[in-house]
Amino acid sequence: MARQAGDWQSWVMGRDVAGTSPHRRQIEKGLPMLIAHVRFRVVEEDRQKALDALMANAAAIRAMKGCLAFVPFLDPTDRQGLGVLHEWQSGEDFAAYAASPAFVETASILRPLMTAAPVSRRFDARLIETVN
């Protein structure tokens, strides 16, 4: 889906241009959140199939309680690499996502495509500032 100039922040923050996710709350300075960086590799010919699998449930994931951002991407530095940037209001919200049908469905497609185990780094974070 092509995005227009100015839509980047809406896309990253898990919103479509028409509005905000019903579960999205304002991120306030100092409030804790969970950030996860997930990276994995597939054979180069399967990258688009893997990205399509991630995007198939993106809208449902972005609408989940506590989801602040769900951003799948192709790694521009690795022809076999993909990743997902996650921002969640809490570890509990992230755990609910990881137990969700959308996660299970996506994982059932991605796991057989992976050439090695995924690496998921999870961070407790606090917002310092938002710069527009």
Side-chain angles (χ1 to χ4, degrees):
M1 168 193 286
R3 295 283 175 184
Q4 298 175 359
D7 288 347
W8 172 252
Q9 184 178 11
S10 294
W11 181 66
V12 168
M13 297 310 293
R15 295 177 284 177
D16 54 29
V17 177
T20 302
S21 164
H23 299 291
R24 181 175 160 70
R25 289 179 261 160
Q26 181 66 31
I27 306 170
E28 295 182 27
K29 270 175 91 167
L31 291 182
M33 60 197 268
L34 181 136
I35 296 175
H37 296 174
V38 181
R39 309 237 352 201
F40 62 94
R41 298 182 88 218
V42 300
V43 295
E44 189 173 352
E45 295 77 24
D46 286 337
R47 272 185 12 140
Q48 189 60 51
K49 181 177 181 180
L51 183 62
D52 291 347
L54 289 163
M55 292 305 298
N57 285 316
I61 294 166
R62 289 174 178 156
M64 289 179 157
K65 178 184 177 293
C67 182
L68 301 170
F70 176 82
V71 185
F73 61 90
L74 299 174
D75 184 338
T77 66
D78 178 353
R79 297 175 91 134
Q80 296 178 333
L82 292 98
V84 181
L85 169 67
H86 290 268
E87 293 181 12
W88 292 85
Q89 288 189 327
S90 70
E92 292 79 16
D93 292 335
F94 182 78
Y97 152 72
S100 72
F103 179 90
V104 171
E105 178 185 337
T106 303
S108 72
I109 297 166
L110 294 178
R111 290 284 180 167
L113 299 177
M114 292 180 186
T115 58
V119 175
S120 180
R121 296 184 302 162
R122 298 168 189 177
F123 305 87
D124 284 323
R126 293 188 185 278
L127 178 66
I128 297 170
E129 67 180 327
T130 300
V131 180
N132 290 323

